[in-house]
Amino acid sequence: MKWETIETEENYNKAVIRAIEIFHAEPNTPEDDELGILCLLIKDYEDRHYLILELDVLENIKNGLEEMKQSKKGNLKTTPAKDFLNEL
């Protein structure tokens, strides 16, 4: 199948389904070539339409520990974790 730049959600879904179908294609086959092209097109579409935040796990842990220290010192009345739990 001939693939072009993915511009719609419908074509994106078709591309993802096709990529899943041929995911285990043998190397150096037309399906393997198609999979490579689909992966590039899918990534391009996702980069343009979906915001994916990069998480720095260590930085988040450091911030959480700092908030706990401030909370224990009485400098914070609440923490994001407590706010979240209170919303539940």
Side-chain angles (χ1 to χ4, degrees), residues 4-23:
E4 297 178 1
T5 302
I6 300 170
E7 297 296 336
T8 66
E9 188 78 18
E10 180 182 351
N11 287 343
Y12 168 76
N13 290 331
K14 288 179 183 178
V16 170
I17 290 168
R18 178 63 180 152
I20 292 169
E21 290 173 353
I22 61 174
F23 186 77

Side-chain angles (χ1 to χ4, degrees), residues 24-66:
H24 294 290
E26 293 292 325
N28 303 316
T29 62
E31 288 82 14
D32 183 48
D33 293 340
E34 182 182 5
L35 180 61
I37 292 168
L38 283 173
C39 287
L40 292 173
L41 293 173
I42 290 167
K43 179 167 181 359
D44 175 63
Y45 182 87
E46 289 174 346
D47 288 347
R48 289 183 288 122
H49 292 88
Y50 298 109
L51 175 63
I52 300 175
L53 301 175
E54 290 187 31
L55 298 177
D56 184 346
V57 176
L58 292 176
E59 192 63 33
N60 287 336
I61 292 171
K62 288 177 187 176
N63 289 339
L65 291 173
E66 185 60 34

